[in-house]
Structures are given as C-alpha cells and as structure tokens.
Amino acid sequence: MKSRVTFVLLALIAIVVNACQDALLENSLNNYDGAVNTRSLDEQDDFYWCNGEKVFIKRIANKSFIMFKTSDKDALKKAMSENKITIDESKIRKYSYSGTDMSGKAAKDFLDYSWAEVDINDSIAYSYPEIVYSAPYYTGSSSYSFPLTNLIYVTLRDDGDINKLERLAEENNLGIIGKHEGVPHLYIASCTKESRGNALEMANVLHDIGCFEEVEPAFINIFPQVPIDDLFSQQWNLNHTGQHDANYSGYDIDYLQASIPSSSNIVVAVVDNGVNLSHPDINLNSFSWNSDTNSSPSVITTYYGGYQYLTYHGTNVAGIISGKTTPCGDKFLNLKCVI
C-alpha cells in the first residue's frame, strides 16, 4: 500500500512539474515581441549559439549567398549582368537536402531553388526580385570563407513541441521543411526575404525564447574542388571524371563532397587485415590492436588458417579515410557546430 501511495505522489509531482514547464514555455511565447537583435553594443561580430556558448564569426562585406527559383536563373543573370555583376554558371548549385522527410509546407518550394555566390552585399542582392533569399558569407577562426544558408536546425525537447515551432514560424514568416529522419526531435526550418531575419538572426531569436533544446543556423562548408596531390587524378574511385572509362564518369565515392578537415576529435575504426601506421602518405594518430597476438604493433598483420595476411588492403582503406593532402593551399574551416 505504501509503495502504491509513493508511486501516485511521484506521478502527481511529475504532472505538476511538466505543467509548470509548459506554462513557462507558453509565457515565453506570449511575451515574445518578434524583435530581431543578434548583436549587443559592445560586440563587433555576428554570432550564433552552440552548446550554450556564443560562436563569433566575421561578416564579409561584399560576398553573398543568394537563392532563387531555378526557373528564374536566366532572368536573374541578365538583370545582374546589366549592373556588371557576374554569376559563374559553373558555381550555380541546385538546392537539395537529404535525410529529411520533406513533409513541411515549405518543402515543395525548397526543391525548386538553386543557389550561387555573388560578389555583392547581401542587402543589395535583395533589390533583385528573382532572389528569394540572401545572406552574408563569413570567416571564422581561419581565413576560410563560408556562406550562411536559409536553413535553421531546431531540436525540440519533445516532438509534441512542434506546435510551438509552427506558431513561431508563422509569426516570423519562416517555413518548415520537415523532420530530420536520423536525429530525434530535429526539424529543419527555412527563411526567405519575407522572414523577419536571415537564418542566423532567426536562430538566435528562437534560441533566446528558450522553448527548444537547441537552435543553430546552417552554414555550407565549401571545400576546394581538387586537393593538391600528384596522384589524385589517377584515383578514379575518388573522383571519376572519365579518366578510367568515359562511360562511367561520375561513378565514384564522392570524395570531394564527403571530405572534411582533419581533426583529433574524429575517430574511425578500420576493421581489416592490417594497417601500416608508419606509411608516409597516411595521416594517422592511431591506436592499433592485433586480436591474434593480443598486442598493439605499429604494423598489423592478420593470421588466419595458418597464413599471414599482409597489410595492403587495410592500409589502402585507411589511406582513403586519412590520406595526406593539401586543399589547394586554402585553410579548412575551423568552427564549432557548423553543419
């Protein structure tokens, strides 16, 4: 009987706590006035929130990310050329996003957008009617530049909080693309020129309201096209431009799109027949283990059925993951929480 009473009391306490939390969140929503302010008077740089800390980034004055309907591309190029502004055709990219259920109201228009980089201020870009969204390029702790997109990543405390996000989206002219399929409670919101602010400004507003677990603007990490590596062109499996067989151009592992900067925080396990940790073309700071000899050698070999297997395959795999290369002399982006 005593245990039942205790259980009932705990359940009532949980209900009261949840009700209080909901009331506080609702009060935050009711008191929200829609103001967009991402800088204080003593702050010279823009910032966004990551893990409870401000991450400061520097705005580039005359370089912008622009987004437009793909069908308006020619009209936009013509209008800009009249003002001696060039859009590099090779750098126009179709906007797409994978891993999201695309169930939101903004998803349909989103799939019709393209984006490009132009050498004008983002406020000037809005003077072109074909441009549906514009945002600055930034630099962080390195000199590498990267654009702010129109997307905002919002992690709800619970999927039941989607009504709060929908309400704020409506009040701020934001769209909801959909729910991320791989991360619990993560939704993708989007901005246009009709929104009360760009993705960074609106992410800070949503963060400060306090209704959500995390809110971050989405940047695009654009890496150099081809690394400086004398043998890179021969590795058709990394980037197939037809050098192996013209009929299979593009059949590769999308190395250039997938590559990220080296970091000691990245841990990759290679379960294979051995890795030569002293190979001069592999950038490894590794812990190795040979389960057969129960030791940690510098060169791992595998024994099976009385035969010793060499390390060539494991070394090849590790080389694809962490081969030494230089990205066209540019520094890689070094920022926290950039997606």
Side-chain angles (χ1 to χ4, degrees):
M1 181 67 180
K2 183 177 180 180
S3 61
R4 178 180 296 179
V5 172
T6 302
F7 175 79
V8 172
L9 287 173
L10 289 174
L12 288 173
I13 291 172
I15 292 171
V16 171
V17 169
N18 288 334
C20 290
Q21 289 177 340
D22 288 342
L24 289 172
L25 292 177
E26 187 63 25
N27 185 56
S28 296
L29 288 172
N30 291 333
N31 291 332
Y32 165 62
D33 61 5
V36 176
N37 179 19
T38 62
R39 294 188 190 187
S40 64
L41 295 177
D42 60 342
E43 292 170 343
Q44 301 300 314
D45 301 329
D46 288 348
F47 69 88
Y48 61 97
W49 289 95
C50 171
N51 296 331
E53 298 180 358
K54 289 181 180 178
V55 179
F56 289 91
I57 49 181
K58 294 183 180 295
R59 185 184 295 232
I60 299 175
N62 293 309
K63 191 175 184 181
S64 300
F65 168 97
I66 61 170
M67 193 168 65
F68 49 90
K69 287 188 176 182
T70 305
S71 57
D72 290 338
K73 179 187 71 174
D74 292 338
L76 176 61
K77 289 178 64 178
K78 181 180 179 181
M80 285 193 157
S81 66
E82 293 174 354
N83 292 314
K84 298 182 179 180
I85 301 171
T86 301
I87 301 180
D88 188 341
E89 179 74 30
S90 66
K91 293 184 178 180
I92 296 177
R93 298 169 173 88
K94 190 76 172 67
Y95 213 165
S96 62
Y97 194 86
S98 59
T100 301
D101 62 16
M102 308 301 285
S103 60
K105 295 179 180 179
K108 182 178 179 180
D109 289 337
F110 179 83
L111 295 174
D112 186 40
Y113 291 149
S114 293
W115 70 272
E117 167 194 321
V118 291
D119 293 328
I120 56 175
N121 187 276
D122 62 294
S123 60
I124 296 175
Y126 274 134
S127 63
Y128 293 89
E130 295 86 0
I131 292 178
V132 299
Y133 175 83
S134 178
Y137 267 67
Y138 288 96
T139 58
S141 56
S142 78
S143 60
Y144 199 81
S145 64
F146 54 95
L148 171 70
T149 72
N150 69 315
L151 300 182
I152 305 170
Y153 292 81
V154 183
T155 304
L156 309 183
R157 292 193 170 99
D158 184 271
D159 278 343
D161 289 336
I162 184 60
N163 62 314
K164 297 182 176 69
L165 178 57
E166 290 173 341
R167 173 175 167 179
L168 287 166
E170 182 178 357
E171 292 177 356
N172 290 281
N173 292 322
L174 304 177
I176 297 178
I177 303 298
K179 182 181 179 182
H180 195 286
E181 296 173 342
V183 181
H185 316 315
L186 175 60
Y187 285 78
I188 317 298
S190 64
C191 301
T192 67
K193 64 167 56 174
E194 306 301 327
S195 303
R196 290 192 176 184
N198 63 33
L200 183 144
E201 293 166 336
M202 294 312 307
N204 287 347
V205 168
L206 296 180
H207 171 275
D208 291 345
I209 291 173
C211 289
F212 309 112
E213 187 71 27
E214 290 184 66
V215 185
E216 297 171 10
F219 302 94
I220 292 181
N221 205 352
I222 306 175
F223 293 100
Q225 292 300 304
V226 179
I228 298 174
D229 187 327
D230 293 338
L231 300 178
F232 184 79
S233 62
Q234 299 179 29
Q235 300 175 69
W236 61 266
N237 55 307
L238 302 183
N239 185 43
H240 199 309
T241 59
Q243 68 269 44
H244 175 66
D245 187 327
N247 294 322
Y248 295 98
S249 179
Y251 283 63
D252 52 55
I253 66 170
D254 288 335
Y255 173 84
L256 296 176
Q257 292 85 347
S259 60
I260 58 176
S262 177
S263 171
S264 59
N265 295 324
I266 299 173
V267 179
V268 180
V270 178
V271 182
D272 211 309
N273 61 6
V275 178
N276 182 355
L277 301 182
S278 62
H279 194 288
D281 197 34
I282 296 181
N283 183 29
L284 291 176
N285 181 14
S286 299
F287 174 80
S288 61
W289 192 259
N290 189 323
S291 59
D292 184 77
T293 61
N294 202 31
S295 64
S296 179
S298 59
V299 177
I300 307 173
T301 56
T302 300
Y303 296 87
Y304 181 76
Y307 293 95
Q308 179 177 342
Y309 287 79
L310 300 178
T311 64
Y312 69 91
H313 190 271
T315 303
N316 287 348
V317 172
I320 291 175
I321 295 170
S322 61
K324 292 180 180 178
T325 186
T326 303
C328 299
D330 293 335
K331 295 180 179 178
F332 276 125
L333 182 64
N334 182 24
L335 281 178
K336 296 166 59 183
C337 294
V338 172
I339 300 177

